[in-house]
Amino acid sequence: PHSRLTIIGRTRIEGTNLNELCQPWGGGGHSQAAAVNLREVNPLEIIEQFINQLKYQIPQPLTARELMSSPVRTIRPETTISEAQRILLRYGHSGLSVVDETDKLVGIISRRDLDLALHHGFSHAPVKGYMTRNVKTITPLTSLPEIESLMVTYDIGRLPVLENDELVGIVTRTDVLRQLHQVGSGFFGVGSGENYCPLPMNNITGEITNLQQRLAPELWQLLTRAAEEAQKRGWHLYLVGGAVRDLLLADKDKSILLNDLDLVVDGFHKSGDVGGGVTLAKALQKRYPKVRLEIHGAFQTAALLWHNDPILGSLWVDIATARTEFYPYPAANPEVEASSIRQDLYRRDFTINAIALRLTDIPKSYSAPTPAQDEPGISPNHQRIQGSQNPKYDLPLLDFFGGLLDLRSRQIRVLHANSFIEDPTRIYRAVRFAVRLGFEIEPQTEAYIRYALASGVYERSLAKNSKAPALQTRLKQELKYIFQAPYWQRALQLLGHLEALRCLHPNLHLDEQLWWRVRLVDRWLRRFDRSENLRHWEIILEVLIAHLAPEERGKVAENLHLPLDSIERLQNLENAQKEIIESLPRCRRTSEFVRLLRKYNRGMLVLIGVHSPRVIRRQIWQYFTIWANVHPPLNGNELKRMGYKPGPQFKEILQALLEVTLDGVIKDEEDGRGFLEKYYPVGGDQKF
């Protein structure tokens, strides 16, 4: 029978919210204490629902599966000490798991073990003589307290995770410390282990809630479908990089339509190999038949491209498997391998771009709906999942490197000290993001930039290696991004302040003269090439390169792989400028000026203009603004009507008409006809 029911609740369990549980039945209070009064209800049913929902709010204990890193870097027992040391250096690990030919774990060797062996001269000895064989292991279900106890009791820095005797992951002391620090540091978080993110209470946008509501619904639907496909295969899927950064910076009350998304597939403890990104992209292509699929690179990165789609607009979605990278030498292209999401985020440039939003395995949030009026207080259990209207649950954020704090502090901070030595384009990316977002480059990061530039490592790398893409094609691409942006002048000033133009050439500095020239060329291009027949960003770059000694200009242009016309302009600039400076003062008639300047294309004249004395610059300006726009009063069609037959003479007659027009000899069509009758009679001999 139905009767009255009063529920009074208090809780001190972190993560629970009694107010949220009571509100659907008309009750309320606050998160730690709330109450509700109900009439004509079945008490046992309501209490059971209430307790189930409260249990669901209580965070589950963390296990090794949630803490561990996967896949695990392994070596064979016969691997030499020196090779093991090289692998540690390459991947930044503090120890390696040793497995036999059946991939069964047989030992662990730490950096300390390797250092001692090297110190005693055993670089060529196999690691099996130095590894620890009595290895303590755990299972994916081992709890965090048990892991802590093992590490403290046995002074262990890493615990391999075995499932059915298969090595599926490893939990390190760092994993445990990170988790303990996050739980007790005054932050609240979403997720756990690899999926845990500390979120500062007073963060950059107020409350980080409902990030998906800041994303345009059509994009959210695309991401939901991608997550479904990944989850079918036992993978995690993450939105990473700039898209997450821009969502966090966006107004929480408005949705934004991004046009560039980066997705990362992480096999986690399931099978996710190097081709995971391609597999997922092909699955999405079946759902979006009109999308174009591109697969590129040895690592099998996939891209889905929509162009002027009625729903998604122009959208580029990159999908890759989580990977780690290693630079064989400074400014090289990195070598990449499949890895975990944590390693994938660590390889990125700045903390604000190393935040990930997990899209898969989204926990469900129980919430009893408002009871029907005819049956107050009685309703079946109702699940509201992420992505429904007014969801209560935030997508799990991964922020291992303090990116959220740096977003709040509005600063650009690099992830590790060697970042700029490995990849100089990151200097230009730091500047681009700082200026575009209105951020500051963090002082230590600026110190790393200046050290890398002053060290001479880039010059040595170019001299030693035939290819250094980060100082060639990739550097050119970053310069293009900057010079095409509306804020390019502020970015160039910051590059000059950092002395970063040395990446182009050791002697290139943004002095007052060069700064004046780039601003002048910008005015000229906006005035004389509004239709952008020239590539403005390339002309600006050519002005920078032209500031070098003439014999260096072509070398720099070729190193950057500039187009042939740019290389030729820079190589020929000195001779062309010399000819114009010497010849223009000898020109007496306007037509002579025009005849001389017409020998050169518009790009060359712009370069000559900004590098020449004022009197020459003024005449080139007049050519662009006045003389280049003068046309003869008669054209080819009118010549035909007058009886002239098309042929080589046409060009000669039109050129003669233009010159006398420029010189003021003729002013209109009547003057032109008279000029032709006198000097170029139809069927007669040329007299002009």
Side-chain angles (χ1 to χ4, degrees):
H2 293 177
S3 60
R4 292 184 58 177
L5 173 66
T6 299
I7 299 177
I8 301 172
R10 295 183 65 85
T11 180
R12 293 183 181 179
I13 301 174
E14 187 176 356
T16 57
N17 189 324
L18 295 179
N19 179 54
E20 184 178 304
L21 294 181
C22 291
Q23 277 188 346
W25 282 285
H30 54 80
S31 61
Q32 293 182 312
V36 60
N37 289 307
L38 299 172
R39 297 174 182 271
E40 299 298 319
V41 297
N42 185 328
L44 294 178
E45 182 179 339
I46 296 299
I47 290 173
E48 182 181 2
Q49 289 185 31
F50 195 93
I51 292 174
N52 286 339
Q53 293 173 33
L54 179 61
K55 286 180 178 179
Y56 190 83
Q57 285 187 343
I58 299 173
Q60 295 298 310
L62 291 178
T63 63
R65 191 182 299 284
E66 295 162 313
L67 289 167
M68 70 185 189
S69 298
S70 178
V72 183
R73 194 70 53 190
T74 61
I75 56 175
R76 299 292 189 207
E78 293 75 23
T79 305
T80 64
I81 294 292
S82 60
E83 177 64 12
Q85 181 78 355
R86 188 193 69 80
I87 294 172
L88 278 185
L89 173 65
R90 180 179 180 121
Y91 298 107
H93 296 337
S94 58
L96 291 169
S97 298
V98 186
V99 297
D100 62 17
E101 63 276 3
T102 65
D103 288 333
K104 181 179 179 181
L105 181 71
V106 294
I108 280 185
I109 190 161
S110 69
R111 185 184 298 276
R112 188 187 333 174
D113 300 328
L114 294 173
D115 288 343
L116 285 172
L118 288 170
H119 174 72
H120 292 295
F122 292 98
S123 62
H124 297 293
V127 296
K128 63 183 179 183
Y130 295 86
M131 69 185 186
T132 300
R133 296 178 181 271
N134 184 22
V135 180
K136 299 293 181 183
T137 63
I138 55 178
T139 72
L141 299 180
T142 305
S143 68
L144 176 57
E146 293 176 285
I147 293 171
E148 287 182 76
S149 177
L150 283 171
M151 286 185 169
V152 171
T153 302
Y154 297 101
D155 189 24
I156 300 172
R158 60 199 61 80
L159 286 167
V161 183
L162 300 184
E163 187 173 30
N164 299 324
D165 286 332
E166 180 185 353
L167 182 61
V168 295
I170 193 161
V171 176
T172 67
R173 187 181 287 119
T174 301
D175 297 326
V176 174
L177 288 174
R178 180 187 291 112
Q179 184 60 41
L180 294 175
H181 171 72
Q182 289 170 351
V183 170
S185 62
F187 292 99
F188 70 92
V190 177
S192 60
E194 286 244 314
N195 308 314
Y196 186 95
C197 170
L199 306 181
M201 286 287 194
N202 209 1
N203 63 67
I204 53 169
T205 53
E207 292 182 0
I208 297 182
T209 57
N210 300 334
L211 278 183
Q212 73 276 19
Q213 291 189 351
R214 303 181 196 178
L215 194 64
E218 50 269 35
L219 286 184
W220 173 244
Q221 183 183 54
L222 169 64
L223 294 180
T224 301
R225 290 175 175 175
E228 290 171 357
E229 294 294 339
Q231 201 149 316
K232 285 180 187 177
R233 295 160 174 81
W235 302 337
H236 274 323
L237 182 66
Y238 299 89
L239 178 66
V240 300
V244 180
R245 178 199 67 226
D246 292 344
L247 280 175
L248 290 167
L249 290 173
D251 189 328
K252 64 180 179 180
D253 298 322
K254 296 180 181 178
S255 64
I256 59 175
L257 182 62
L258 301 170
N259 56 20
D260 191 356
L261 301 177
D262 285 320
L263 300 177
V264 171
V265 174
D266 182 9
F268 195 44
H269 57 286
K270 301 288 185 180
S271 58
D273 59 17
V274 72
V278 174
T279 301
L280 182 59
K282 289 180 177 178
L284 280 175
Q285 189 184 33
K286 293 179 180 178
R287 293 199 179 196
Y288 296 91
K290 294 182 179 180
V291 72
R292 188 167 95 247
L293 171 64
E294 291 185 358
I295 301 173
H296 46 82
F299 198 74
Q300 294 285 286
T301 301
L304 295 172
L305 293 83
W306 287 263
H307 181 65
N308 293 331
D309 184 84
I311 297 176
L312 294 171
S314 293
L315 175 65
W316 183 298
V317 179
D318 271 315
I319 309 177
T321 306
R323 48 192 164 163
T324 187
E325 64 185 24
F326 177 77
Y327 289 82
Y329 54 86
N333 276 334
E335 298 173 359
V336 295
E337 297 178 12
S339 187
S340 66
I341 184 63
R342 183 181 300 171
Q343 288 296 318
D344 192 276
L345 294 175
Y346 183 68
R347 73 182 182 84
R348 296 175 184 271
D349 47 14
F350 309 109
T351 60
I352 63 170
N353 295 331
I355 306 171
L357 194 65
R358 199 185 78 198
L359 303 171
T360 45
D361 194 22
I362 299 167
K364 299 175 181 179
S365 177
Y366 283 90
S367 177
T370 302
Q373 291 184 357
D374 56 342
E375 293 183 288
I378 301 176
S379 63
N381 283 347
H382 172 73
Q383 295 179 351
R384 179 168 55 198
I385 64 171
Q386 178 75 13
S388 64
Q389 279 198 324
N390 303 316
K392 295 287 186 180
Y393 183 80
D394 284 327
L395 291 167
L397 279 169
L398 277 69
D399 178 26
F400 301 112
F401 313 109
L404 285 168
L405 293 176
D406 288 333
L407 280 174
R408 184 177 64 176
S409 303
R410 304 183 69 80
Q411 66 179 5
I412 306 297
R413 182 164 60 88
V414 77
L415 267 68
H416 56 90
N418 289 320
S419 184
F420 299 115
I421 289 176
E422 291 177 340
D423 188 352
T425 63
R426 288 174 176 159
I427 299 173
Y428 287 73
R429 289 171 61 82
V431 167
R432 180 156 57 88
F433 288 129
V435 177
R436 174 189 155 197
L437 300 174
F439 284 21
E440 297 290 332
I441 297 178
E442 182 257 343
Q444 181 63 71
T445 297
E446 181 174 336
Y448 289 146
I449 290 174
R450 293 188 180 278
Y451 175 79
L453 290 165
S455 69
V457 65
Y458 304 144
E459 294 90 324
R460 293 194 298 272
S461 186
L462 274 175
K464 185 177 179 181
N465 303 287
S466 59
K467 291 183 179 180
L471 292 167
Q472 297 169 322
T473 52
R474 286 171 44 218
L475 177 57
K476 179 185 71 173
Q477 189 64 35
E478 284 300 324
L479 288 163
K480 179 180 179 180
Y481 288 146
I482 288 175
F483 291 139
Q484 285 184 327
Y487 49 77
W488 71 266
Q489 291 192 13
R490 286 181 289 131
L492 181 58
Q493 281 185 302
L494 183 51
L495 287 171
H497 170 71
L498 295 170
E499 292 290 332
L501 296 183
R502 293 181 59 174
C503 290
L504 279 73
H505 192 279
N507 297 333
L508 187 57
H509 306 279
L510 187 66
D511 55 28
E512 289 185 10
Q513 185 182 50
L514 180 55
W515 176 236
W516 178 84
R517 284 174 175 169
V518 293
R519 286 180 294 155
L520 177 62
V521 79
D522 179 51
R523 291 197 298 271
W524 278 40
L525 290 172
R526 285 189 283 111
R527 174 65 174 81
F528 304 137
D529 191 39
R530 292 175 182 172
S531 59
E532 298 197 19
N533 295 317
L534 296 172
R535 295 180 292 269
H536 290 194
W537 72 271
E538 278 184 6
I539 298 296
I540 296 170
L541 179 54
E542 288 174 30
V543 171
L544 294 181
I545 297 172
H547 200 58
L548 296 169
E551 63 273 14
E552 299 296 325
R553 297 167 182 169
K555 298 176 186 177
V556 173
E558 289 175 350
N559 181 65
L560 290 174
H561 295 190
L562 291 184
L564 184 59
D565 60 334
S566 290
I567 296 173
E568 290 178 346
R569 269 196 296 269
L570 289 164
Q571 289 175 332
N572 299 329
L573 175 59
E574 183 183 26
N575 291 334
Q577 183 179 4
K578 182 178 179 181
E579 180 183 10
I580 285 182
I581 290 175
E582 291 177 353
S583 301
L584 268 184
R586 295 200 294 266
C587 296
R588 294 293 176 260
R589 297 195 304 271
T590 301
S591 60
E592 293 176 337
F593 283 108
V594 173
R595 191 183 303 122
L596 174 62
L597 296 179
R598 272 193 169 178
K599 292 170 57 179
Y600 303 99
N601 62 45
R602 182 167 292 231
M604 178 65 88
L605 288 178
V606 168
L607 283 185
I608 293 172
V610 298
H611 287 88
S612 297
R614 184 177 182 182
V615 62
I616 303 298
R617 191 165 61 250
R618 181 182 298 172
Q619 289 172 320
I620 295 176
W621 178 280
Q622 284 181 305
Y623 172 75
F624 281 138
T625 56
I626 302 173
W627 301 335
N629 300 315
V630 173
H631 302 284
L634 298 170
N635 58 33
N637 291 329
E638 289 161 339
L639 292 183
K640 292 178 186 178
R641 287 195 291 270
M642 292 173 64
Y644 293 94
K645 295 180 180 180
Q649 191 184 32
F650 254 46
K651 182 177 180 181
E652 181 183 343
I653 293 173
L654 289 173
Q655 179 64 28
L657 282 170
L658 175 61
E659 291 187 356
V660 293
T661 303
L662 286 167
D663 295 335
V665 175
I666 64 174
K667 295 182 175 57
D668 52 30
E669 187 176 331
E670 183 179 350
D671 290 345
R673 291 180 183 276
F675 173 79
L676 292 179
E677 289 175 2
K678 183 176 181 180
Y679 295 104
Y680 293 92
V682 176
D685 296 329
Q686 174 182 333
K687 299 179 182 179
F688 183 67

